[in-house]
Amino acid sequence: MNTKKHFSERLSELTLEEKVGQLFLVALDGPTLTNEYKKHFQRHKLGNFIFFKHNLTDYKSIRQLSDSLQSTVKESVGIPAFISVDQEGGMVTRVYSGATHFPSNMAVAASGMFDSIDRMGEMVATELRALGINLNHAPSVDVNNNADNPVIGIRSYSDDPQAVAKMGMSYIQGLQRGGVMANAKHFPGHGDTNMDSHLDLPAVNHEMERLNSIELVPFKAVISNANGVDSIMTAHIIFKAIDNALPATLSHKILTEFLRKELGFEGLVITDCMTMNAIKTYYTTEKGCIMALKAGADILCLNATPEIQANCYNAVLEAVKSEEIPIDEIDAKVQRILDHKKKYSLCCTPDQPIEKYPEHEALSDEISAKSITLVKGNDTLLPLTGKKVFIISPRPSGTIVDDVIEQESFCKKAATEFGGDCKFTEISIDPDENEINAVLSKAEGFDIVLYATYNAVLNPGQVHLFDALKAAGKQIVTVSLRVPYDIWKLEGADCYIAAYEYTDRAVDNAIKAIVGKLDFVGKLPISNPVNK
């Protein structure tokens, strides 16, 4: 008779050092596991990992890295690791080799293909599991209702909380059915901030009635559903109606009294990265880790050097030894972690990865094509065929949470499609007066301008350029390559098209629609800015 215990039943056998190691989700440099990192992980019993772009090359190497990390932790502790990634879609996509580049949440919502979201989630899970990744820090179920939000935007499905709840739950169900744990973020909601918690500490000042009617709606939905989300990521944001002193990640009132007790969440609570300025600047990363665990977090996300990882690990270890953090709380956290690792069968060997998934690519193509939205039209201008057009766009760019994708600029691609007498110029993300004057000079002799913007609502130079073009008497077709809120700043656009992301697929489909090779099918998933 085999009496060997499953790892989920081994809590009492773990040393304190091994228990503390389970509380960390750490990063590493490079695409391979070096001997130095292996020794570091084993010395500190670190039990979970997060991948970023610099870890991810070709699909075979990704799987090899995952397998190396699993072997490392099984040797040192005997418990398999959560291996995670931010594979949201759109601009926040880490894995390209061996995984389909699906559109952003807002593009998915614009496509109207709501019945495909569950299937898309399962496809993402299939691809990630084959790479050895079993935890996806997605979806964002933030309700983006602030045009000046610098970090969420198209990562949100909509400014409608009920729509966000429904689509987020569909994605979660597909992802988790496919064997990858979802991580709904950023609790209690990062949608109505005009500050990025990577850079500073935001605060949301709304009363509880407002939070319950908007920000909390999706989180309550994904928690209460019978097949609900198994992990939630915390926001480094102060929510004054619940705790006017501490950000959610460090707040016992928010994570334990509200999330656990009032909302009844029984899954894993994972922090956003503890090296972000919202924590590091105001509390320090080491102290923040202790505060987060005391507040109710189960797993600390730490994208940091081995030295910082070791310092945080030792700080938590000492806090438990000194009884600043009670051992029974640590045991409860570790048992939750072990139970969820068992639920997702982390001991099972995933299928071998492949480079392309044709069925998945076809779904992504369809979603992207149907997402392109004609917000405001002019029948005398569109389609832009047989016309002399001057094309302007920023170079491919991203926000702090993105990995900038190597690709041709919108204006260069469009010029190739148009041919003939069309000319183009690339601009910087926030052009100054000298650059604006140079663009105006280049645009002389052209009556029609195709102007692609990228977060113009946050980059006033793009707006100043638009105003200067209008003052020069140009007819302007604008295409937003990220947030569709740009039109709020671009008064007088003759046509306005939302493409939702600066990716090859979205750019290609937007150009096809502009020249009449693709019908405009998308519906704006936010309140129509034309009516603002």
Side-chain angles (χ1 to χ4, degrees):
M1 180 178 179
N2 185 0
T3 60
K4 184 178 179 181
K5 290 182 179 179
H6 188 275
F7 68 79
S8 65
E9 300 171 324
R10 290 185 50 225
L11 178 67
S12 62
E13 299 174 4
L14 298 180
T15 66
L16 178 57
E17 290 76 12
E18 291 169 341
K19 291 176 182 178
V20 170
Q22 289 295 306
L23 307 177
F24 285 88
L25 182 82
V26 297
L28 70 159
D29 290 337
T32 59
L33 179 62
T34 63
N35 286 333
E36 291 76 12
Y37 263 106
K38 181 175 181 178
K39 291 175 183 177
H40 163 67
F41 293 149
Q42 291 189 326
R43 182 183 308 118
H44 298 97
K45 312 299 182 184
L46 297 173
N48 308 288
F49 306 95
I50 180 168
F51 287 162
F52 292 94
K53 185 180 180 181
H54 59 263
N55 303 121
L56 308 169
T57 52
D58 64 279
Y59 67 104
K60 292 179 181 178
S61 296
I62 298 171
R63 174 58 184 274
Q64 186 175 9
L65 178 58
S66 298
D67 290 347
S68 297
L69 288 169
Q70 290 292 8
S71 297
T72 295
V73 297
K74 288 175 184 176
E75 285 175 17
S76 61
V77 186
I79 295 171
F82 278 128
I83 298 179
S84 68
V85 73
D86 291 280
Q87 192 77 352
E88 294 181 22
M91 304 293 287
V92 186
T93 297
R94 306 289 185 236
V95 188
Y96 292 97
S97 178
T100 304
H101 189 183
F102 282 102
S104 67
N105 283 353
M106 194 170 284
V108 171
S111 76
M113 294 182 62
F114 309 121
D115 292 341
S116 297
I117 297 174
D118 177 289
R119 185 159 59 101
M120 184 181 77
E122 188 170 10
M123 288 176 173
V124 172
T126 297
E127 297 174 355
L128 294 182
R129 280 292 293 215
L131 297 169
I133 298 168
N134 46 50
L135 166 59
N136 188 9
H137 299 294
S140 166
V141 292
D142 304 295
V143 181
N144 199 88
N145 47 16
N146 187 330
D148 294 327
N149 193 319
V151 68
I152 301 300
I154 59 169
R155 299 167 68 194
S156 168
Y157 289 104
S158 173
D159 60 6
D160 178 345
Q162 297 295 338
V164 173
K166 185 175 181 180
M167 287 183 274
M169 192 63 245
S170 292
Y171 182 84
I172 286 165
Q173 287 177 331
L175 192 69
Q176 294 188 163
R177 187 175 62 252
V180 169
M181 186 165 70
N183 187 213
K185 57 191 185 185
H186 307 79
F187 182 83
H190 206 324
D192 196 4
T193 63
N194 58 8
M195 186 184 294
D196 183 351
S197 52
H198 290 83
L199 305 176
D200 210 332
L201 177 57
V204 171
N205 300 320
H206 299 305
E207 297 298 325
M208 203 65 208
E209 181 180 1
R210 151 61 192 258
L211 296 179
N212 279 322
S213 64
I214 296 181
E215 280 78 8
L216 291 168
V217 169
F219 288 102
K220 288 181 177 180
V222 301
I223 289 169
S224 61
N225 191 288
N227 297 309
V229 71
D230 278 324
S231 73
I232 282 176
M233 179 178 284
T234 66
H236 301 333
I237 300 172
I238 293 174
F239 288 80
K240 294 187 177 181
I242 313 175
D243 187 336
N244 62 8
L246 293 171
T249 298
L250 309 183
S251 170
H252 189 272
K253 291 179 181 178
I254 292 177
L255 299 190
T256 296
E257 295 177 22
F258 186 66
L259 178 59
R260 289 284 188 209
K261 295 180 180 178
E262 187 169 334
L263 298 187
F265 181 61
E266 297 179 351
L268 296 179
V269 176
I270 302 175
T271 71
D272 208 340
C273 185
M274 298 301 290
T275 58
M276 290 162 58
N277 284 352
I279 301 297
K280 180 175 65 176
T281 301
Y282 294 90
Y283 307 95
T284 77
T285 297
E286 291 176 28
K287 185 178 179 181
C289 286
I290 295 170
M291 294 174 70
L293 292 172
K294 290 170 68 175
D298 297 310
I299 295 179
L300 304 163
C301 183
L302 203 57
N303 178 18
T305 64
E307 181 182 4
I308 293 173
Q309 293 173 15
N311 290 342
C312 292
Y313 170 88
N314 289 327
V316 170
L317 186 62
E318 289 305 311
V320 181
K321 287 180 177 178
S322 69
E323 299 183 352
E324 181 180 357
I325 306 177
I327 188 60
D328 60 341
E329 291 185 11
I330 296 297
D331 285 347
K333 297 175 192 297
V334 175
Q335 190 60 62
R336 269 194 296 271
I337 293 167
L338 298 182
D339 289 344
H340 282 79
K341 288 183 174 183
K342 178 182 180 181
K343 179 176 180 179
Y344 286 91
S345 304
L346 300 198
C347 281
C348 297
T349 302
D351 294 336
Q352 286 297 314
I354 60 175
E355 189 169 12
K356 292 288 184 182
Y357 295 80
E359 183 183 351
H360 301 187
E361 294 286 345
L363 179 61
S364 182
D365 284 338
E366 185 180 3
I367 292 171
S368 177
K370 289 183 176 179
S371 73
I372 307 301
T373 306
L374 181 61
V375 181
K376 178 183 178 183
N378 183 327
D379 292 340
T380 65
L381 277 178
L382 294 180
L384 283 181
T385 52
K387 297 182 176 75
K388 186 179 178 183
V389 180
F390 187 70
I391 309 165
I392 305 168
S393 77
R395 290 176 282 277
S397 182
T399 68
I400 196 169
V401 295
D402 304 340
D403 292 313
V404 178
I405 306 164
E406 297 296 328
Q407 62 186 46
E408 285 188 338
S409 64
F410 175 95
C411 60
K412 187 173 183 179
K413 279 197 165 195
T416 301
E417 173 68 33
F418 281 49
D421 294 330
C422 295
K423 303 293 183 184
F424 73 94
T425 189
E426 294 181 354
I427 60 171
S428 56
I429 195 71
D430 196 15
D432 60 17
E433 185 176 353
N434 289 335
E435 188 175 1
I436 290 171
N437 289 333
V439 173
L440 289 175
S441 178
K442 292 177 183 178
E444 289 182 3
F446 291 86
D447 295 327
I448 302 173
V449 173
L450 173 58
Y451 181 21
T453 64
Y454 184 90
N455 278 0
V457 71
L458 303 175
N459 295 284
Q462 293 183 49
V463 180
H464 296 331
L465 174 56
F466 175 88
D467 292 341
L469 290 166
K470 287 302 293 183
K474 309 295 185 184
Q475 289 184 290
I476 306 178
V477 175
T478 60
V479 183
S480 65
L481 296 176
R482 196 166 179 123
V483 293
Y485 306 105
D486 284 0
I487 197 172
W488 292 5
K489 299 286 186 178
L490 308 181
E491 296 183 10
D494 297 280
C495 298
Y496 186 83
I497 296 158
Y500 306 100
E501 56 193 52
Y502 206 152
T503 63
D504 272 335
R505 189 169 264 146
V507 166
D508 290 343
N509 283 321
I511 293 169
K512 287 178 184 176
I514 290 166
V515 299
K517 293 181 179 180
L518 182 71
D519 291 335
F520 288 104
V521 176
K523 302 293 183 184
L524 201 65
I526 60 168
S527 301
N528 193 335
V530 173
N531 299 325
K532 289 288 182 182

